Amino acid sequence: MPNYCDVSLPVPLDKAFTYLAPHQELAPGMRVLVSFGTRKLAGTVLRVHQEAPAYKVKPIEKVLDPEPVFDQKLLELGIWIARYYFAPVGEVFRVMAPLGGEVKRSKVFRLTAEGLRQLQQSALDLGEETEPGAQILKLLEPGPVALSVLQRKVPEARKLTEEFRKRGWLESTEEAGERDPLRAPSNKLLVGSSEQTPGEEKLTKWERELLAYLHLHPGVHALDELEEKVKNAGTSARALARRGLLKITPKVGAIRQPEDRGRPVLNPQQQAAFAAIRTALEKKQFEAFLLQGVTGSGKTEVYLNAIEAALALGRSALLLVPEIALTPQVAGQFALRFGNQVAILHSAFSEAERAEYWRRIRRGEAKVVVGTRSAVFAPMPDLGLLLVDEEHDGSYKQEETPRYHGRDVAVVRAQQIGAVVVLGSATPSLESRYNVEMRKYSHLRLTERIAQRPMPVVETVDMNQEFLATGTHALFSRRMVDAVREKLAAKEQAMLLMNRRGFSSFCLCRSCGYRVGCVNCSVTLTYHKRDRRLLCHYCGYSERVPETCKECGSDKVQFFGAGSERIEEELAEAFPTARIARMDRDTIHSKNDYEAILGGFRDGQYDILVGTQMIAKGHDIPNVTLVGIVNADLGLSMPDFRAAERTFQLLTQASGRAGRGGLPGRVILQTINPEHYAVRFSVDQDYDAFYAKELTFRRMMRYPPFASLANVLFRSEKQEEALRMSGVAAELLSNEGAELRVLGPAEAPVAKVKKEFRYLMLLKSPQRKKLAEALARLRAHAEQEEWPATGMIIDVDPLSLL
């Protein structure tokens, strides 16, 4: 009987698609190439069976893997994520394996009958573009051609093909196929010997010379370096690799190791925490710990010892960190301890690098993995320990489909495979801390800094009083300026936090009050002085700075508000001899930028580091003795029930960057709300007091951890359509009773993003099952009514209500 298989595809539809399986052996977890409408897509096989569907099925075009890339446990995890987060299953598996670089996607154009007629009659009405337009049609006459090929021959091809498609002269399809890894640039490839010998096979002169060179110089060589030593080495190596006579693999960056300062001895609190984790590892069954330690208490050393214990038991270990900026620093520490057993996974790598690390992990060559959110899916054999550093951090929540939370997925994966999971933080999320009270997690505490170093002294500056005393709206208080000057004189370093990008927050006309807004989103544009542009941080739209007001023609256009770019400029004016670096999304574009700025600051190349929240997370730089928080209140005005929690965490974490070496630390916190409990308790570094007060509010208002939440977003380029869908959804859930509370629908705080109007509906329920049932009804109704696949977005356990 013929075999069939169910394949998940990366499309916004919550179902698998049945295809006719090839005669060769096919197993769940393998990736295949299939035809889907007018496109060819790579998907994941979920099931192989002999249940013929009632409709004619297409055959699988190609099997991409000789063996499954997902084992049964990872398949089950992906299906759980799809069900729990109400995400299309194909989108889940697309995110789980960073192998997209191995599939080449291209847009292919072909002539329609009308296009052929236009070509034959030469009836092109394109004005000055007649000549390139005719050239494109002529190129397509023999048959379909990829857009990339057309662009090489006709620079205007992208614009013209779209114009011809609208006129009905061309039709396009999305094609996909295996990318030839050997076609990568030589500087991206490594060459090594193969166990296979040429035998009687005929070789060219240059192939023989290359093999002879490698025989005399065994080991792995960079292909671009070989090309300088052996003539035609690039061509010869690729030809030999295709016949199995050489091995060519993608080059991955080396992990930079820090200076070896010897192995620290665990203090009693660290030793107690490690002993509890080791005992759990020896049981080889699921257990969850919350490791709560003040900043600088040595949580990383507990992680390192726990990983050693896992390796000694023959199991592997995974560490998640919230920011790419932390990965090189942490990976370097781990590489110093575990050598070549360490692999890194994060999105700043090229697709080829990520795929190579992923396959190395799957082969069991890397027993220790350090990575950001998506590393939770690393295909590690015998995974026994999962560590989530800074578990409270919002970066673990993905803001695009599938909207999973890396920390929660780590806990579920540990349950699934019988592993130990450790969640570490100085400021745990309320949900995790509440799970300790519910006895779901064991509580481990580190209440002192290592080597009995003192906590930093935190000083509050009331900027209201500062204004009354000075009569100016200065960015820096007098105390902040004096403190920076003092640290510069002492050859010590400072970090200044301003959790907002750009130079100024908005551009306003003082005559009529007009604010320059985005044409695609309902937000004002942020002024970026270095680029001399006004920029939208939602869609990327930009425009030049206006000389006069668009509304009234006045020249009284001024900038208001401040961001990290302005902080950098004013510091440079106040301290002209200081070496200043800035770290935010405008200065960081790749992993090399992270390493260059942080590495330079750590090595003493800069005196002051200015940045957004990314500088507040986990960095351990001994010479930093001053942390300045320019605007401590920035997050308190957000329309979100987590605003106080986020503010407390950010202020506490930022303060913790000071005084981590032998010198005492000082923190200056500028605020206009010095009595707000989030500010007050962060000054005292008193997590327990903040937790107790915030938990009282959450209990009263029935917010997490006392209720489950889902945010449902309705969006459309037509406002009436978005409003209609949200109204229908509210009506559908109007009779749920007290077990489900529906808030909204209402216009989203940011009502328009990327030309789409947005309406929100918030669902709250004390019973997660009840919430899931309501969401399932909503989605079933959307499918029945054939709403656009992206018209309704469900976000389970949302961290943002914007």
Side-chain angles (χ1 to χ4, degrees):
M1 293 180 64
N3 280 338
Y4 299 90
C5 62
D6 295 337
V7 180
S8 69
L9 296 175
V11 294
L13 298 171
D14 184 41
K15 63 179 181 179
F17 301 87
T18 302
Y19 287 85
L20 186 64
H23 292 297
Q24 70 191 84
E25 188 173 339
L26 193 67
M30 286 182 172
R31 293 177 309 136
V32 293
L33 193 65
V34 299
S35 176
F36 184 77
T38 59
R39 296 179 290 170
K40 286 187 174 63
L41 299 174
T44 303
V45 176
L46 300 183
R47 189 169 73 103
V48 179
H49 56 87
Q50 293 183 330
E51 303 164 14
Y55 51 87
K56 185 178 180 180
V57 297
K58 298 177 182 179
I60 282 175
E61 302 215 351
K62 190 164 189 177
V63 178
L64 297 175
D65 307 296
E67 58 185 17
V69 295
F70 299 112
D71 61 22
Q72 187 58 38
K73 292 294 185 183
L74 280 174
L75 281 176
E76 292 172 5
L77 182 66
I79 292 169
W80 176 84
I81 290 170
R83 290 174 178 167
Y84 182 88
Y85 291 102
F86 287 83
V89 66
E91 295 281 6
V92 173
F93 285 108
R94 176 186 59 80
V95 167
M96 287 180 67
L99 302 176
E102 297 180 353
V103 177
K104 179 177 66 177
R105 292 178 176 82
S106 57
K107 197 168 190 175
V108 175
F109 286 93
R110 54 179 54 81
L111 285 175
T112 62
E114 178 62 20
L116 183 60
R117 189 174 70 83
Q118 292 291 338
L119 174 64
Q120 291 169 346
Q121 295 181 0
S122 299
L124 300 178
D125 183 20
L126 297 172
E128 294 178 0
E129 296 176 341
T130 298
E131 191 174 334
Q135 190 180 353
I136 284 177
L137 295 182
K138 192 69 178 172
L139 288 168
L140 290 170
E141 187 177 17
V145 180
L147 176 59
S148 57
V149 175
L150 292 174
Q151 285 181 300
R152 285 200 295 269
K153 298 182 178 181
V154 183
E156 306 94 327
R158 182 178 293 276
K159 177 182 176 182
L160 289 173
T161 50
E162 183 60 24
E163 174 66 25
F164 290 172
R165 189 188 62 78
K166 289 179 180 177
R167 295 186 180 202
W169 298 358
L170 302 182
E171 60 184 14
S172 65
T173 56
E174 294 284 341
E175 299 286 344
E178 282 189 280
R179 189 185 298 276
D180 184 357
L182 301 182
R183 296 187 67 179
S186 297
N187 63 347
K188 300 287 186 182
L189 297 174
L190 297 174
V191 177
S193 302
S194 169
E195 296 177 0
Q196 186 174 329
T197 56
E200 301 297 321
E201 190 169 351
K202 189 175 180 180
L203 303 176
T204 68
K205 173 187 175 182
W206 309 118
E207 290 171 351
R208 289 196 302 272
E209 286 196 10
L210 178 59
L211 288 174
Y213 181 88
L214 292 174
H215 180 72
L216 292 172
H217 304 84
V220 178
H221 303 263
L223 183 53
D224 56 340
E225 294 175 6
L226 278 178
E227 288 177 330
E228 297 175 1
K229 299 170 183 175
V230 182
K231 191 172 181 179
N232 292 331
T235 304
S236 302
R238 290 178 172 90
L240 291 167
R242 286 191 173 91
R243 287 176 278 168
L245 301 176
L246 283 182
K247 285 184 178 178
I248 292 185
T249 56
K251 183 190 293 187
V252 293
I255 300 174
R256 177 185 172 187
Q257 296 185 14
E259 178 187 349
D260 189 354
R261 298 177 181 173
R263 183 174 181 138
V265 176
L266 298 182
N267 63 31
Q269 288 187 339
Q270 289 174 307
Q271 185 62 48
F274 164 60
I277 297 169
R278 181 179 57 194
T279 300
L281 285 167
E282 290 169 350
K283 294 177 184 176
K284 295 189 175 181
Q285 62 188 34
F286 169 72
E287 192 163 348
F289 293 94
L290 176 63
L291 177 60
Q292 183 180 347
V294 298
T295 55
S297 59
K299 293 185 288 295
T300 301
E301 193 59 37
V302 175
Y303 299 157
L304 289 164
N305 281 266
I307 290 171
E308 280 184 330
L311 295 177
L313 293 167
R315 306 195 75 178
S316 54
L318 168 67
L319 171 72
L320 299 182
V321 294
E323 287 276 1
I324 294 172
L326 295 176
T327 313
Q329 173 188 327
V330 176
Q333 290 178 275
F334 281 46
L336 194 62
R337 185 76 62 94
F338 305 114
N340 291 331
Q341 294 185 91
V342 179
I344 306 175
L345 282 178
H346 61 64
S347 59
F349 282 126
S350 68
E351 288 187 325
E353 286 177 311
R354 275 187 288 164
E356 178 62 20
Y357 267 128
W358 196 87
R359 292 199 177 279
R360 185 178 156 214
I361 292 164
R362 195 181 179 285
R363 293 193 296 266
E365 296 171 12
K367 298 285 189 182
V368 180
V369 173
V370 179
T372 48
R373 179 179 59 226
S374 60
V376 72
F377 305 120
M380 304 178 71
D382 301 315
L383 180 58
L385 176 65
L386 294 91
L387 303 152
V388 184
D389 194 30
E390 310 293 0
E391 65 85 27
H392 67 277
D393 199 283
S395 300
Y396 286 121
K397 174 71 170 176
Q398 174 142 310
E399 296 300 328
E400 302 89 29
T401 302
R403 288 169 165 76
Y404 69 93
H405 197 300
R407 175 200 63 207
D408 298 343
V409 171
V411 174
V412 171
R413 188 175 183 190
Q415 284 178 312
Q416 180 192 54
I417 60 178
V420 174
V421 61
V422 180
L423 313 179
S425 177
T427 55
S429 64
L430 262 73
E431 290 87 344
S432 294
R433 181 62 181 81
Y434 188 70
N435 279 335
V436 171
E437 291 187 20
M438 296 294 101
R439 309 210 170 189
K440 294 180 179 179
Y441 300 165
S442 300
H443 201 192
L444 308 174
R445 299 205 68 163
L446 306 175
T447 59
E448 299 175 352
R449 283 188 158 186
I450 55 174
Q452 296 184 326
R453 292 173 185 152
M455 295 297 291
V457 175
V458 183
E459 306 171 42
T460 304
V461 178
D462 185 340
M463 295 303 284
N464 298 311
Q465 297 300 317
E466 185 76 8
F467 171 73
L468 293 175
T470 64
T472 61
H473 287 288
L475 278 176
F476 305 126
S477 62
R478 292 163 297 174
R479 205 181 310 175
M480 180 88 78
V481 173
D482 290 343
V484 172
R485 184 178 292 114
E486 177 187 318
K487 297 305 176 184
L488 290 174
K491 304 297 182 185
E492 297 169 14
Q493 291 172 295
M495 298 173 73
L496 265 68
L497 172 73
M498 179 63 175
N499 199 25
R500 178 180 282 160
R501 292 163 55 198
F503 189 86
S504 297
S505 306
F506 59 92
C507 177
L508 178 140
C509 173
R510 294 306 297 264
S511 293
C512 70
Y514 171 74
R515 297 189 182 201
V516 182
C518 176
V519 299
N520 303 315
C521 312
S522 55
V523 294
T524 55
L525 297 178
T526 302
Y527 175 45
H528 289 252
K529 188 173 183 179
R530 186 183 65 176
D531 300 327
R532 298 179 182 178
R533 307 287 289 180
L534 295 171
L535 178 67
C536 175
H537 291 170
Y538 283 85
C539 72
Y541 168 80
S542 68
E543 62 179 59
R544 292 182 180 179
V545 177
E547 295 181 3
T548 58
C549 176
K550 295 179 181 179
E551 291 291 305
C552 69
S554 168
D555 61 356
K556 294 180 173 58
V557 176
Q558 296 181 6
F559 298 105
F560 293 87
S564 53
E565 188 181 14
R566 184 175 170 190
I567 301 300
E568 179 188 27
E569 182 176 289
E570 294 208 5
L571 277 173
E573 291 176 0
F575 306 102
T577 61
R579 298 165 299 169
I580 303 170
R582 174 163 56 95
M583 198 165 86
D584 54 29
R585 292 186 186 276
D586 299 316
T587 60
I588 300 294
H589 304 290
S590 70
K591 67 179 187 296
N592 296 328
D593 295 331
Y594 281 111
E595 294 170 17
I597 294 175
L598 276 176
F601 187 59
R602 189 177 292 108
D603 296 340
Q605 297 173 22
Y606 304 108
D607 304 308
I608 304 172
L609 179 63
V610 176
T612 53
Q613 62 176 347
M614 60 175 66
I615 72 169
K617 300 177 181 181
H619 306 301
D620 190 351
I621 302 172
N623 198 41
V624 172
T625 56
L626 173 67
V627 169
I629 300 170
V630 179
N631 187 346
D633 316 284
L634 204 54
L636 290 175
S637 60
M638 300 297 287
D640 194 321
F641 72 92
R642 284 193 175 91
E645 181 183 10
R646 286 202 192 96
T647 299
F648 172 81
Q649 290 167 341
L650 180 62
L651 300 183
T652 305
Q653 293 285 339
S655 300
R657 300 313 108 207
R660 297 174 74 94
L663 300 170
R666 179 182 178 188
V667 179
I668 296 180
L669 190 154
Q670 298 182 168
T671 175
I672 58 172
N673 290 297
E675 295 306 313
H676 193 286
Y677 67 97
V679 175
R680 196 171 70 250
F681 290 137
S682 71
V683 169
D684 298 334
Q685 298 272 307
D686 192 343
Y687 174 85
D688 291 338
F690 174 81
Y691 170 75
K693 190 171 186 69
E694 183 70 10
L695 200 69
T696 301
F697 292 145
R698 299 282 182 93
R699 184 181 284 109
M700 288 169 55
M701 302 303 295
R702 305 304 297 172
Y703 276 115
F706 302 103
S708 298
L709 290 188
N711 201 16
V712 187
L713 173 68
F714 303 91
R715 62 186 190 183
S716 174
E717 290 192 5
K718 297 179 180 178
Q719 186 173 17
E720 61 274 16
E721 178 65 12
L723 188 56
R724 184 189 66 81
M725 289 189 295
S726 66
V728 170
E731 180 66 25
L732 189 70
L733 301 179
S734 60
N735 297 317
E736 295 296 323
E739 294 179 335
L740 180 74
R741 188 174 178 193
V742 180
L743 304 179
E747 193 173 60
V750 182
K752 186 181 177 186
V753 173
K754 298 179 182 178
K755 296 184 178 180
E756 290 186 324
F757 294 92
R758 297 149 38 94
Y759 288 85
L760 288 181
M761 189 166 68
L762 186 66
L763 308 185
K764 297 168 61 175
S765 177
Q767 300 177 30
R768 185 165 290 278
K769 182 180 177 183
K770 186 72 176 177
L771 180 69
E773 289 172 352
L775 292 173
R777 279 199 303 279
L778 262 185
R779 189 160 67 171
H781 183 81
E783 291 176 1
Q784 180 183 338
E785 297 298 315
E786 297 183 344
W787 288 359
T790 58
M792 183 179 76
I793 305 297
I794 295 174
D795 188 3
V796 176
D797 301 335
L799 289 192
S800 172
L801 303 183
L802 300 179

